Amino acid sequence: EAGVTQSPTHLIKTRGQQATLRCSPISGHTSVYWYQQALGLGLQFLLWYDEGEERNRGNFPPRFSGRQFPNYSSELNVNALELEDSALYLCASSETGTSGARNTQYFGPGTRLTVL
Amino acid sequence: DAKTTQPTSMDCAEGRAANLPCNHSTISGNEYVYWYRQIHSQGPQYIIHGLKNNETNEMASLIITEDRKSSTLILPHATLRDTAVYYCIVTSRGSQGNLIFGKGTKLSVKP
């Protein structure tokens, strides 16, 4: 069974540009989560999508946004890039985001975003 | 979600058992204990989780104390490839989606 996939692996942008990161969840999973891991820092929760809806977002500015498509894949968009947005962006998926025994999150390999 | 406390780093000899402790003294009745690990610059890997009972899978064993205020992750025969940062996370099933990652324990397995 294929795991969570993310693309691209690496992305280089300049300050002020927009970045789009993509995530495909494990087959059968409806929830997708985005996390940011800046160099030397811990993982910070960004966004949670479930059944096409944004369910929760972390303490990030509105220029971080995303969406979830009908096939449950997801995009993370970062507008007006700043140098401090350079980080590893991780996507995770789970069978469901609601209470129950099936919301263990499984992570993808990440997209390394570098802002110059 | 309850806060967790883990040692900053630990060493383990290759082939020996690695026992990683986690304190979660404020855990509530509906909160699970999850363990993930992250090998340098890779995505976190799910290891195991439990609620009250001890759990075992092909990767590790999870021992939860009877009062649920602490737990230990056991890697029975550590290899060099187990060198990673190990995160203990407490979360309720009905939480708002996000896992709260602390700083974790840096486990170094040495030959």
Side-chain angles (χ1 to χ4, degrees):
Chain A
E1 180 184 291
V4 177
T5 59
Q6 294 186 243
S7 63
T9 304
H10 294 88
L11 187 59
I12 300 174
K13 295 285 186 178
T14 57
R15 196 168 47 184
Q17 286 188 314
Q18 178 195 40
T20 298
L21 289 65
R22 297 178 176 83
C23 171
S24 291
I26 292 171
S27 178
H29 287 193
T30 63
S31 273
V32 170
Y33 313 81
W34 288 95
Y35 293 82
Q36 181 198 65
Q37 187 174 32
L39 188 64
L41 300 179
L43 283 85
Q44 301 292 319
F45 168 72
L46 265 167
L47 290 160
W48 168 30
Y49 291 95
D50 183 57
E51 296 284 0
E53 300 287 331
E54 180 181 304
R55 301 297 185 185
N56 194 21
R57 67 180 293 128
N59 189 25
F60 282 85
R63 58 190 186 81
F64 287 84
S65 65
R67 54 181 172 167
Q68 186 178 32
F69 299 100
N71 66 354
Y72 303 112
S73 66
S74 176
E75 270 184 4
L76 174 68
N77 296 293
V78 187
N79 294 318
L81 283 165
E82 300 179 1
L83 297 179
E84 51 265 34
D85 296 334
S86 294
L88 180 67
Y89 288 84
L90 293 155
C91 172
S93 74
S94 69
E95 286 191 52
T96 174
T98 58
S99 59
R102 295 172 292 133
N103 64 352
T104 296
Q105 294 184 27
Y106 297 89
F107 285 80
T111 292
R112 173 73 61 186
L113 173 64
T114 301
V115 183
L116 302 175
Chain B
D1 294 335
K3 180 181 170 59
T4 62
T5 304
Q6 299 178 253
T8 302
S9 64
M10 294 182 64
D11 290 340
C12 177
E14 188 177 20
R16 304 296 294 270
N19 296 276
L20 292 89
C22 180
N23 182 284
H24 32 79
S25 58
T26 61
I27 194 170
S28 60
N30 67 340
E31 290 183 312
Y32 287 73
V33 180
Y34 275 79
W35 283 84
Y36 286 80
R37 71 181 182 184
Q38 187 174 28
I39 297 169
H40 182 64
S41 293
Q42 298 181 20
Q45 179 186 23
Y46 165 76
I47 301 173
I48 199 167
H49 74 278
L51 182 63
K52 295 180 183 178
N53 301 319
N54 298 336
E55 302 287 344
T56 296
N57 63 21
E58 63 279 4
M59 288 184 66
S61 294
L62 174 61
I63 308 299
I64 302 174
T65 58
E66 192 168 343
D67 63 8
R68 302 187 68 237
K69 293 185 177 182
S70 66
S71 60
T72 302
L73 178 74
I74 301 172
L75 307 179
H77 305 287
T79 71
L80 299 179
R81 288 177 294 181
D82 292 322
T83 292
V85 178
Y86 287 76
Y87 297 99
C88 169
I89 299 167
V90 170
T91 184
S92 64
R93 291 297 193 178
S95 68
Q96 293 303 303
N98 55 309
L99 297 176
I100 300 174
F101 286 80
K103 296 187 183 301
T105 296
K106 169 67 175 175
L107 175 68
S108 298
V109 181
K110 300 180 183 300

